[in-house]
Amino acid sequence: MAKENPAQRFMRATGKLRAVFGPANRSSIVHEMTEQNRQLLAQREAETQQWETIHRPDGSTYVVPRNPDDQSLR
């Protein structure tokens, strides 16, 4: 058996608590990305590049399009 990473040890140690408070995904987190996941990640990164976060003086933030005329990803 391969050595468990910290997340796997945590999941094993908290098994009874999770039975009471709710399930958690126990699938492997140590695997290669598939080509489909790489494409999806690239698409999501491209989508986030079209927006800009504006910070107001009161500390609140809001998101606006970087280029209002660009409709490629909307």
Side-chain angles (χ1 to χ4, degrees):
M1 184 172 157
K3 184 178 179 182
E4 291 182 324
N5 65 33
Q8 291 167 328
R9 285 194 307 269
F10 175 79
M11 294 293 282
R12 187 173 37 80
T14 60
K16 290 182 181 177
L17 288 174
R18 288 183 289 111
V20 173
F21 294 108
N25 188 359
R26 190 162 170 125
S27 66
S28 174
I29 58 173
V30 183
H31 57 81
E32 294 294 320
M33 284 185 76
T34 64
E35 184 58 35
Q36 181 182 10
N37 284 346
R38 282 190 194 93
Q39 291 173 355
L40 185 60
L41 178 62
Q43 177 186 352
R44 295 291 186 255
E45 288 175 343
E47 289 171 356
T48 61
Q49 294 302 312
Q50 74 175 351
W51 303 100
E52 180 178 11
T53 302
I54 304 296
H55 298 276
R56 293 182 176 152
D58 66 358
S60 63
T61 59
Y62 62 101
V63 178
V64 296
R66 285 188 194 272
N67 180 359
D69 299 327
D70 179 20
Q71 297 291 319
S72 62
L73 295 171
R74 290 183 228 154

